[in-house]
Amino acid sequence: SQTTEDAERYVSDWITLNVGGRHFTTSRSTLLTKEPLSMLARMFADDNNMYLMTPSATDTTGAYLIDRSPEYFEPILNYLRHGDVILDKHVNPKGVMEEAVFYGIDSMIPHLNQLIEESTLASSSNQSLT
Amino acid sequence: SQTTEDAERYVSDWITLNVGGRHFTTSRSTLLTKEPLSMLARMFADDNNMYLMTPSATDTTGAYLIDRSPEYFEPILNYLRHGDVILDKHVNPKGVMEEAVFYGIDSMIPHLNQLIEESTLASSSNQSLT
Amino acid sequence: SQTTEDAERYVSDWITLNVGGRHFTTSRSTLLTKEPLSMLARMFADDNNMYLMTPSATDTTGAYLIDRSPEYFEPILNYLRHGDVILDKHVNPKGVMEEAVFYGIDSMIPHLNQLIEESTLASSSNQSLT
Amino acid sequence: SQTTEDAERYVSDWITLNVGGRHFTTSRSTLLTKEPLSMLARMFADDNNMYLMTPSATDTTGAYLIDRSPEYFEPILNYLRHGDVILDKHVNPKGVMEEAVFYGIDSMIPHLNQLIEESTLASSSNQSLT
Amino acid sequence: SQTTEDAERYVSDWITLNVGGRHFTTSRSTLLTKEPLSMLARMFADDNNMYLMTPSATDTTGAYLIDRSPEYFEPILNYLRHGDVILDKHVNPKGVMEEAVFYGIDSMIPHLNQLIEESTLASSSNQSLT
């Protein structure tokens, strides 16, 4: 059956994710190392080069489909790569928070809470100028 | 006829939308669950794995064509995924409002009205500084 | 000849434009309805399902080639879809004005003039703070 | 030889440039007319429908490869299309200046110098508020 | 073996990098000249038209896979092209710093440190207004 075929799919070192329609290429070790108990890590964990879970469906190019925002996934993936939470000025930290919670990247949450607080302070200080 | 073929098209769990030229990949349950009476939900509702309505035309990759703004559709789709209205700072909330009304995502409208009001206040307070 | 073949091309309901290298998908009715005398409408007007003018060249995917800015075309196309002039905060309204004039979307021009004026006021008020 | 083949390549009216990995589609007349002595114009000048210079290498889609920034090329190409220097608010004018100098679009340089000066004034006036 | 085949891969003048899922096209001389001892330069250094190191894996289009942020790589590549550190206003300089350190582009680091300092000053001066 299709399900058995999926479960038997060999593990590759390079993984492309189709997050909401945009492609992100990364390595399996990036997804597994920083936060090994996260949902994202468990999706791509392997035993003896076979996936432990049935991985999600793939698109026609072989990228794993994830039904989430691509934009707010970017800082999540960068965090898994180097361990720092870095957002551009126009990015709403609440959007990144939703994704961190969804993917189970728990160690990002205190940092994002702080960014959300700072951004709320900044916008109320702008309004208090009038 | 072409129309009959379309109506008989089987329902897939993963759906790609071509919104104004950009591809968005999502699941049918995201489009149906949050706002089941919206136009978007009714476009992809099914009975016994067959579409109830004739779905819209598809492009050569099989993505459903929708003649609307891709940029302002992003926060709509994120809202259907997790239930929060989240906009980046540079995004004009009036643009998102147009799409929420078009797709019939009524529960977003009060939130968007508040964001439009706040953004009008902020820009007039900037001008009153002079 | 090539020109005759082009003139005989059948009219499709869905049209993809290649504007400066980016693809925009829209419907013929969007291009024709809001501003029927514009250059853009006349490019895609038809008589009896045949184009009245020889349409512009197409790329290998069949998209009609237009040698203009893709970024500033976005708010033009949105305007043709729903009739409101909506710009994000970082977008320079002068860029959109150039395109409205080029495509002959005359009813946008007073709105854009107002946005250009407001943006000039805002930046000079910022400078007068010093 | 490869070089001879390249030199014999016929001139097309539509030209796609691959600037640093992003595709820009434009017409040969846009590249030639506004600033005929620029490096960019000379790259695509022709005599009797044959290129005068050996054009640069092309990618697999036939786009001419240019090893420069795509983002800062956009306002350059728009300038060649309509003759106005228009930048969005977040775009650093120094980035556009680098490209104007590289491509030899000399008539843009005084405009860009003015934008760089204004942006320096604006950021120092922000700092003097403290 | 696969490794031997990779090591024997011929060196091309044009190189496409797949950085985190986005394609960047550049020339080998851009990667090698400005900072010859960097990790990026050593990845593409050659001896007699053969790579010295086993180059990284490639995607199906032949682009070299690098598991890093595409957005913050852009100013790095521009720096290698023309030698100036230029960031748009919304770009977080800390994100570019992470990449400069990763790729070993040491001469960018003092410039980025200065931009990080200025951006910290600017945001604290905004807060001190209240």
Side-chain angles (χ1 to χ4, degrees):
Chain A
S1 75
Q2 181 66 35
T3 311
T4 319
E5 273 171 48
D6 282 346
E8 279 166 7
R9 208 178 281 163
Y10 286 102
V11 170
S12 155
D13 280 345
W14 287 94
I15 286 171
T16 298
L17 305 172
N18 176 335
V19 182
R22 205 192 299 170
H23 282 181
F24 293 88
T25 302
T26 187
S27 64
R28 204 162 50 87
S29 78
T30 290
L31 297 176
L32 298 186
T33 308
K34 177 85 192 162
E35 191 104 3
L37 300 178
S38 70
M39 190 268 266
L40 200 59
R42 280 179 287 139
M43 272 179 71
F44 295 100
D46 72 315
D47 176 30
N48 222 350
N49 285 337
M50 304 291 282
Y51 284 118
L52 291 175
M53 286 173 55
T54 302
S56 77
T58 53
D59 66 18
T60 55
T61 69
Y64 292 98
L65 286 157
I66 298 182
D67 180 20
R68 299 294 295 185
S69 154
E71 187 199 352
Y72 296 125
F73 180 64
E74 274 197 80
I76 306 263
L77 187 53
N78 285 339
Y79 174 77
L80 296 178
R81 284 168 174 143
H82 54 51
D84 287 317
V85 178
I86 295 176
L87 269 58
D88 280 347
K89 283 168 210 168
H90 65 285
V91 173
N92 192 329
K94 288 179 190 165
V96 185
M97 177 63 96
E98 296 273 0
E99 304 312 298
V101 170
F102 175 79
Y103 292 108
I105 314 295
D106 294 349
S107 56
M108 283 188 88
I109 292 178
H111 298 276
L112 290 169
N113 268 329
Q114 200 186 327
L115 290 172
I116 291 170
E117 213 175 299
E118 284 169 16
S119 123
T120 311
L121 276 173
S123 78
S124 65
S125 84
N126 273 350
Q127 294 190 316
S128 69
L129 276 170
T130 48
Chain B
S1 75
Q2 181 64 35
T3 310
T4 319
E5 272 171 50
D6 283 346
E8 279 166 8
R9 210 179 280 163
Y10 286 103
V11 169
S12 155
D13 280 346
W14 287 95
I15 287 171
T16 299
L17 306 171
N18 177 335
V19 182
R22 205 192 299 171
H23 282 181
F24 294 88
T25 302
T26 187
S27 64
R28 203 164 50 88
S29 79
T30 290
L31 297 177
L32 298 186
T33 309
K34 178 83 192 164
E35 192 104 3
L37 300 177
S38 69
M39 190 269 265
L40 200 58
R42 280 179 286 141
M43 271 179 72
F44 295 99
D46 72 316
D47 176 30
N48 223 347
N49 285 336
M50 303 291 283
Y51 284 118
L52 291 175
M53 286 171 56
T54 302
S56 78
T58 53
D59 65 19
T60 55
T61 70
Y64 292 98
L65 287 157
I66 299 182
D67 180 21
R68 298 294 296 185
S69 155
E71 188 200 352
Y72 297 125
F73 180 63
E74 274 197 81
I76 306 264
L77 187 53
N78 286 338
Y79 174 77
L80 296 178
R81 284 170 173 142
H82 54 52
D84 287 315
V85 179
I86 295 176
L87 268 59
D88 280 346
K89 283 167 210 168
H90 64 284
V91 173
N92 191 330
K94 288 178 191 167
V96 185
M97 177 63 98
E98 296 274 358
E99 304 312 297
V101 169
F102 174 79
Y103 293 108
I105 315 294
D106 293 349
S107 56
M108 282 188 88
I109 292 179
H111 299 275
L112 290 169
N113 268 328
Q114 200 186 327
L115 291 172
I116 291 171
E117 214 174 299
E118 283 169 18
S119 122
T120 312
L121 277 174
S123 78
S124 64
S125 84
N126 274 349
Q127 293 190 317
S128 70
L129 277 170
T130 50
Chain C
S1 76
Q2 182 65 36
T3 310
T4 319
E5 272 172 49
D6 282 346
E8 279 166 9
R9 209 180 280 164
Y10 285 103
V11 169
S12 156
D13 280 346
W14 287 95
I15 286 170
T16 298
L17 306 172
N18 177 335
V19 182
R22 205 193 299 171
H23 282 181
F24 293 88
T25 303
T26 187
S27 63
R28 202 163 51 88
S29 78
T30 290
L31 298 176
L32 297 187
T33 309
K34 177 82 193 165
E35 191 102 3
L37 300 177
S38 70
M39 190 267 265
L40 200 58
R42 280 178 286 139
M43 271 179 72
F44 295 100
D46 71 316
D47 176 30
N48 223 347
N49 285 336
M50 303 292 282
Y51 284 118
L52 290 176
M53 285 172 54
T54 301
S56 77
T58 53
D59 65 19
T60 56
T61 70
Y64 292 98
L65 287 156
I66 299 182
D67 180 21
R68 298 293 296 186
S69 155
E71 188 200 351
Y72 297 124
F73 179 63
E74 274 197 81
I76 305 264
L77 187 53
N78 286 338
Y79 174 78
L80 296 178
R81 285 170 173 141
H82 54 51
D84 287 316
V85 178
I86 296 177
L87 268 59
D88 280 346
K89 283 168 211 167
H90 64 282
V91 172
N92 192 329
K94 288 179 191 166
V96 184
M97 177 63 98
E98 295 273 358
E99 304 312 298
V101 170
F102 175 79
Y103 293 109
I105 314 294
D106 294 348
S107 56
M108 283 188 89
I109 291 178
H111 299 275
L112 290 169
N113 268 329
Q114 200 185 328
L115 291 172
I116 291 170
E117 213 175 298
E118 283 168 18
S119 123
T120 311
L121 276 174
S123 78
S124 64
S125 83
N126 274 348
Q127 293 191 317
S128 69
L129 277 169
T130 50
Chain D
S1 74
Q2 182 65 35
T3 310
T4 320
E5 274 172 46
D6 283 346
E8 279 166 8
R9 208 179 282 164
Y10 285 102
V11 169
S12 155
D13 280 346
W14 286 95
I15 286 171
T16 298
L17 306 172
N18 176 335
V19 181
R22 206 192 299 170
H23 282 181
F24 293 88
T25 302
T26 188
S27 64
R28 203 161 51 87
S29 79
T30 289
L31 297 176
L32 297 186
T33 309
K34 177 83 192 164
E35 191 103 3
L37 299 178
S38 70
M39 190 267 266
L40 200 58
R42 279 177 287 138
M43 271 178 73
F44 296 99
D46 72 315
D47 176 29
N48 222 348
N49 285 337
M50 304 291 283
Y51 284 118
L52 290 176
M53 285 172 56
T54 303
S56 76
T58 53
D59 65 19
T60 55
T61 70
Y64 292 98
L65 287 156
I66 298 181
D67 180 22
R68 299 293 296 186
S69 155
E71 188 199 351
Y72 297 124
F73 180 62
E74 275 197 79
I76 306 264
L77 187 53
N78 286 338
Y79 175 78
L80 296 178
R81 285 169 173 142
H82 53 52
D84 287 315
V85 179
I86 295 176
L87 268 58
D88 281 346
K89 283 168 210 167
H90 65 283
V91 173
N92 192 330
K94 288 178 190 166
V96 185
M97 176 63 97
E98 295 274 359
E99 304 312 298
V101 170
F102 174 80
Y103 293 108
I105 314 295
D106 294 348
S107 55
M108 282 187 89
I109 292 179
H111 300 275
L112 290 169
N113 268 328
Q114 199 186 327
L115 291 173
I116 291 171
E117 213 174 299
E118 283 169 17
S119 123
T120 311
L121 276 174
S123 78
S124 65
S125 83
N126 274 349
Q127 294 192 315
S128 69
L129 277 170
T130 49
Chain E
S1 74
Q2 181 66 35
T3 311
T4 320
E5 273 172 46
D6 282 346
E8 278 166 7
R9 209 179 280 163
Y10 286 103
V11 170
S12 154
D13 280 346
W14 287 94
I15 287 171
T16 299
L17 306 172
N18 176 335
V19 182
R22 205 191 300 169
H23 282 181
F24 294 88
T25 302
T26 186
S27 64
R28 203 162 50 88
S29 78
T30 290
L31 297 176
L32 297 186
T33 309
K34 178 82 194 164
E35 191 104 2
L37 299 178
S38 70
M39 190 267 267
L40 200 59
R42 280 178 287 139
M43 272 178 72
F44 295 100
D46 72 315
D47 176 29
N48 222 349
N49 284 337
M50 304 292 281
Y51 284 118
L52 290 176
M53 286 172 56
T54 302
S56 77
T58 53
D59 65 18
T60 55
T61 70
Y64 291 99
L65 286 156
I66 298 182
D67 180 21
R68 299 294 296 186
S69 154
E71 187 199 352
Y72 297 124
F73 180 63
E74 274 196 80
I76 305 265
L77 187 53
N78 286 338
Y79 174 77
L80 296 178
R81 284 168 173 143
H82 53 52
D84 287 316
V85 179
I86 295 176
L87 269 57
D88 281 345
K89 283 168 210 167
H90 64 284
V91 173
N92 191 329
K94 289 179 190 165
V96 184
M97 176 63 96
E98 295 274 358
E99 304 312 298
V101 170
F102 174 80
Y103 293 108
I105 314 296
D106 294 348
S107 56
M108 281 187 88
I109 292 179
H111 299 275
L112 289 170
N113 269 328
Q114 199 187 327
L115 290 173
I116 291 171
E117 212 175 299
E118 283 168 17
S119 124
T120 311
L121 276 174
S123 77
S124 65
S125 83
N126 274 350
Q127 295 191 314
S128 70
L129 275 170
T130 50

